[in-house]
């Protein structure tokens, strides 16, 4: 969640790596994939993150 809401990832050495995440990818190769995707979406919405179609995200990125 911090990747999206705060813009960084924790590195293995304890530091922080700044990341701009416009999209996230979820792998669907396990029996809990749909349940996991729903949980991730719910957490993002609860954190105030806007969920948008990929075409809209990419168009906004081109304009910025």
């Amino acid at each position: 969640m911090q990747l999206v809401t705060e813009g960084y990832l924790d590195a293995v050495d304890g530091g922080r790596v700044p990341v701009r995440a416009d999209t996230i990818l979820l792998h669907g190769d396990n029996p809990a994939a749909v349940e996991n995707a729903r949980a991730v979406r719910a957490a993002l919405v609860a954190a105030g993150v806007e969920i948008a179609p990929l075409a809209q995200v990419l168009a906004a990125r081109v304009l910025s």
Side-chain angles (χ1 to χ4, degrees):
M1 190 60 60
Q2 76 187 19
L3 167 68
V4 177
T5 60
E6 299 178 40
Y8 71 88
L9 292 172
D10 292 321
V12 294
D13 67 0
R16 290 184 172 176
V17 178
V19 177
R20 177 181 170 184
D22 293 322
T23 63
I24 58 171
L25 170 67
L26 300 175
H27 289 269
D29 57 354
N30 68 71
V34 173
E35 182 181 334
N36 291 341
R38 287 183 177 139
V40 169
R41 181 185 178 95
L44 290 168
V45 169
V49 176
E50 178 185 358
I51 306 295
L54 181 58
Q56 181 180 333
V57 173
L58 294 176
R61 181 113 188 211
V62 169
L63 296 175
S64 63

